Amino acid sequence: MWSFSNDPEFQPELDWIDTFVREEVEPLDVLLGSQWDIHAPEFKRLVRPLQQKVKDRGLWACHLGPELGGKGYGQLKLALMNEKFGRSRFGPIVFGSQAPDTGNSEILAHYGTPEQKKKYLEPLLNNDIVSCFSMTEPQGGADPLVLAASAVRDGDDWVINGDKWFASNARYASFYIVMVVTDPDAAPYRRMSMFIVPADTPGIEIVRNYGFYGEPENTHGHVRWTNVRVPAENMLGGQGDAFVVAQVRLSGGRMHHAMRTLAQATRAFEMMCERAVSRFTKGEQLSKKQMVQEKIADSWTELRQFRLLILETAWLADQGNDWKAIRKNVAAVKATMPKLLHDIAARALQVHGSLGISHEMPFAELVINSFHIGLADGPTEVHKVTVAREVLKDYAPINDIFPSYIRHELVAEAHELYDALQET
């Protein structure tokens, strides 16, 4: 059965989230620094009470299954929630659903030992600590097959050496989940393994923290690992299983990120519309200008199209619970996301004129963020290739010089079909 309406029992929760985020969470974005600096006094004073309200409402960490204290919501409900609290930079952490902690918690839930779950997973889920997922390297970019950081077995330990790049939130993390080469002679996708490493382990050095326009603090670390000793039991999954382990955190995370991007674009759209009906130029409302109307019409249409693409993909995930089977859908969502945010933010900026490029408005930050989300979790180009490859699997070549749908052949086949039917 198809429906475009929300579950009547769930709609009040979405309405509460929408009001709560607009009225109480969004103001944090202009008051506080990094949302991962959870031990800052102002975070404790302002954010912790809001997190408690979410917990009291029963909406904390809803990406978790009931066995971990969550609601066990499917991807569709999670998408609708992320569309609401994704409006705010602090929205995800207020709802216990911030990256990379959500993905890391899924890895620990699947592969962690009981002791590791007690030490790392429980405080992570309660936001008593935050974590870092460390995979990319300075020379590697988006290609994990050229990773060079390695771990060598030494008795009961593995010894890690190498550099990691753009390790988000490394400066605040209590532990890292790091992907390194453990068997350089194995097949390409069996060369690497995943480890959980406490952040205070000797040999871990943050060389420099990098940031980009719009971020309140530099939080993306260049991290150097020098003879970092890790107990063998800290390997997550088996040796060579890094790609299998990583897939646990990727697809669902991409869906949630997409809905948060939709929320940001929607917020920019709302600002553009308010400006259009409020501003007068050349003797009339800005909203009366046809080129402004075009920007609004294009933006509204693109928002609806993207939203439906995400929700269809979330619905498919709930039906089959198999991300691999819908990888082209997920890749299409990821590939569409940066352009949507870029185009709508750029239009909103233009409609606001010189005010639009100022620090008083969020549009320049959103434009830069559109490039960020086009690089994180694999660049847009990679996801477009995935879509094309998956789509083309459903087509087979024909052994003829002309297409199977050339007109004169279709005419002949149609005559043959209906002449035969007439004879019978």
Side-chain angles (χ1 to χ4, degrees):
M1 181 176 69
W2 289 85
S3 174
F4 288 97
S5 61
N6 293 323
D7 183 338
E9 295 181 358
F10 188 58
Q11 185 60 53
E13 301 304 314
L14 292 175
D15 294 338
W16 182 85
I17 294 171
D18 185 69
T19 301
F20 175 66
V21 170
R22 289 174 185 266
E23 295 181 356
E24 299 188 53
V25 181
E26 284 186 22
L28 298 176
D29 293 352
V30 297
L31 289 178
L32 302 181
S34 172
Q35 58 267 41
W36 288 277
D37 190 6
I38 62 173
H39 299 299
E42 287 297 276
F43 186 100
K44 295 178 181 178
R45 184 175 74 89
L46 299 176
V47 181
R48 293 303 186 195
L50 299 185
Q51 290 177 327
Q52 189 58 52
K53 288 186 179 182
V54 171
K55 292 176 182 179
D56 293 343
R57 186 81 184 191
L59 294 172
W60 177 260
C62 287
H63 62 288
L64 301 173
E67 72 281 0
L68 294 174
K71 291 282 192 177
Y73 284 160
Q75 291 300 318
L76 189 58
K77 283 187 175 180
L78 291 174
L80 294 169
M81 290 180 65
N82 275 274
E83 182 185 17
K84 299 297 185 184
F85 62 67
R87 292 176 54 90
S88 166
R89 182 162 58 86
F90 274 83
I93 206 162
V94 166
F95 281 79
S97 300
Q98 70 282 359
D101 299 332
T102 49
N104 288 346
S105 67
E106 291 183 67
I107 288 178
L108 289 171
H110 278 81
Y111 296 102
T113 65
E115 294 78 14
Q116 290 165 346
K117 291 177 181 178
K118 183 71 175 177
K119 183 176 181 180
Y120 300 109
L121 181 58
E122 289 185 15
L124 185 67
L125 295 179
N126 201 42
N127 194 222
D128 295 328
I129 60 174
V130 294
S131 62
C132 173
F133 185 75
S134 185
M135 184 183 80
T136 55
E137 296 180 7
Q139 83 291 342
D143 185 0
L145 298 183
V146 299
L147 296 184
S150 64
V152 177
R153 187 68 184 255
D154 182 24
D156 293 332
D157 296 335
W158 287 87
V159 181
I160 301 175
N161 282 280
D163 282 28
K164 289 294 181 181
W165 165 250
F166 236 66
S168 302
N169 315 316
R171 64 188 292 184
Y172 301 122
S174 293
F175 69 89
Y176 298 80
I177 292 181
V178 60
M179 183 170 170
V180 290
V181 176
T182 52
D183 188 355
D185 299 322
Y189 287 94
R190 297 293 304 169
R191 294 173 57 233
M192 283 153 281
S193 303
M194 204 85 80
F195 293 89
I196 181 171
V197 186
D200 59 359
T201 304
I204 300 177
E205 173 197 4
I206 297 180
V207 178
R208 185 182 181 88
N209 285 304
Y210 291 82
F212 55 83
Y213 186 86
E215 288 192 314
E217 299 177 49
N218 297 342
T219 61
H220 306 282
H222 174 186
V223 185
R224 182 158 294 150
W225 301 66
T226 306
N227 297 324
V228 179
R229 301 189 73 89
V230 182
E233 60 265 25
N234 280 29
M235 182 181 287
L236 295 162
Q239 184 172 342
D241 284 347
F243 282 94
V244 176
V245 175
Q247 287 305 313
V248 170
R249 74 188 306 279
L250 286 177
S251 293
R254 286 170 178 159
M255 297 302 301
H256 306 160
H257 199 179
M259 285 303 266
R260 294 172 195 174
T261 299
L262 177 69
Q264 293 175 27
T266 301
R267 190 178 181 195
F269 174 74
E270 292 172 355
M271 294 175 178
M272 176 167 55
C273 291
E274 180 182 305
R275 181 68 168 178
V277 298
S278 304
R279 180 77 164 176
F280 283 79
T281 185
K282 298 292 184 181
E284 64 180 356
Q285 258 181 337
L286 202 57
S287 61
K288 303 296 184 183
K289 306 295 185 184
Q290 288 184 337
M291 293 186 72
V292 172
Q293 292 173 349
E294 180 186 46
K295 288 178 173 60
I296 291 170
D298 286 347
S299 298
W300 186 87
T301 303
E302 290 162 10
L303 285 169
R304 305 308 295 175
Q305 290 172 333
F306 184 53
R307 186 175 191 268
L308 287 174
L309 176 63
I310 304 169
L311 294 180
E312 181 199 33
T313 304
W315 180 83
L316 287 170
D318 285 346
Q319 300 310 300
N321 198 28
D322 182 2
W323 290 113
K324 188 175 181 180
I326 58 171
R327 61 183 306 199
K328 72 172 177 290
N329 304 73
V330 176
V333 168
K334 179 65 172 65
T336 306
M337 180 166 59
K339 187 176 188 303
L340 175 95
L341 181 58
H342 175 277
D343 290 355
I344 293 177
R347 291 172 192 145
L349 185 155
Q350 183 72 17
V351 168
H352 281 76
S354 57
L355 180 63
I357 64 172
S358 74
H359 291 296
E360 296 297 316
M361 293 291 114
F363 309 122
E365 299 172 14
L366 292 175
V367 169
I368 292 296
N369 192 41
S370 74
F371 288 96
H372 174 222
I373 62 178
L375 296 170
D377 290 337
T380 300
E381 294 85 348
V382 170
H383 294 287
K384 287 186 176 181
V385 168
T386 297
V387 174
R389 286 177 176 170
E390 291 297 309
V391 167
L392 292 173
K393 286 179 181 178
D394 294 332
Y395 295 85
I398 62 166
N399 297 317
D400 198 344
I401 192 171
F402 293 114
S404 62
Y405 42 85
I406 193 165
R407 182 174 178 81
H408 69 267
E409 293 286 355
L410 295 178
V411 170
E413 291 172 7
H415 278 300
E416 183 178 351
L417 170 65
Y418 286 104
D419 288 347
L421 290 174
Q422 195 170 21
E423 292 175 2
T424 59

